[in-house]
Amino acid sequence: MRIPSAIVTGLALALMLSACGSDGDSDSSNAPLRPPPKVATLGPFVGECGHVTEQEIRDIAGLNQLARVYRNSVGCNFESAGLASPSVTFASYRGSPIDREKAWVSNVGRNPETIDVGGRKGFQALDPSGSVCDLAVQLDDDFFEWSMSYGLFSEQGNPCDRTRKLAELTVQRLQ
């Protein structure tokens, strides 16, 4: 006899509690705790190393002998032989905000300057010593970045001039 009366009591309690709910007049009880996630719009495919060949990178960056190279689906890095020598890095970011990268370069002492590369907005940031440049270009909800360091003992002018040439090639070759 106890089991059926417990079931009836439980059902009555559930029905009573559900009747105590909101009548729909309150906006705050139905509001989500956070906005729904945004679906990123994929930008054009930038290809391996931004569609720039190893020889073009060597020529534009002025890298003579390569000591270390890595390539993967989102980036590549080239370094010239020698201690504290020049290096070039390419990175592609899918669905990532370019403003986060802009904030990072600001935090490390580089002053981002708004630029346009082939009709695409972006920024370039030169470090105070004039030997490192980060250049990023927005592609819908994606962006890519070329970064160049002249190393400690090199005096080759503004590295942003060279990273801009690399970025222009990437934008020209977008798919």
Side-chain angles (χ1 to χ4, degrees), residues 10-37:
L11 287 174
L13 184 60
L15 183 61
M16 190 171 70
L17 289 174
S18 67
C20 294
S22 171
D23 62 0
D25 290 342
S26 173
D27 288 336
S28 64
S29 66
N30 295 329
L33 296 176
R34 58 182 155 169

Side-chain angles (χ1 to χ4, degrees), residues 100-141:
R100 184 181 311 152
E101 187 70 11
K102 194 174 192 179
W104 181 85
V105 298
S106 294
N107 286 339
V108 296
R110 300 179 192 137
N111 186 25
E113 168 189 333
T114 301
I115 60 167
D116 181 285
V117 177
R120 309 257 183 184
K121 298 292 181 204
F123 73 86
Q124 69 181 24
L126 184 64
D127 80 323
S129 73
S131 65
V132 178
C133 180
D134 296 303
L135 190 148
V137 176
Q138 187 77 54
L139 304 171
D140 298 327
D141 287 335

Side-chain angles (χ1 to χ4, degrees), residues 37-118:
K38 179 184 175 216
V39 177
T41 304
L42 295 181
F45 179 62
V46 295
E48 186 177 88
C49 294
H51 290 301
V52 180
T53 68
E54 190 172 310
Q55 189 59 51
E56 288 170 322
I57 292 169
R58 279 185 184 159
D59 293 344
I60 292 169
L63 300 175
N64 298 326
Q65 183 180 5
L66 295 179
R68 191 169 70 185
V69 177
Y70 77 78
R71 297 176 98 120
N72 61 38
S73 61
V74 295
C76 57
N77 174 265
F78 300 88
E79 293 183 8
S80 188
L83 180 64
S85 60
S87 67
V88 175
T89 303
F90 172 82
S92 173
Y93 299 89
R94 287 279 198 195
S96 182
I98 194 171
D99 288 336
R100 184 181 311 152
E101 187 70 11
K102 194 174 192 179
W104 181 85
V105 298
S106 294
N107 286 339
V108 296
R110 300 179 192 137
N111 186 25
E113 168 189 333
T114 301
I115 60 167
D116 181 285
V117 177

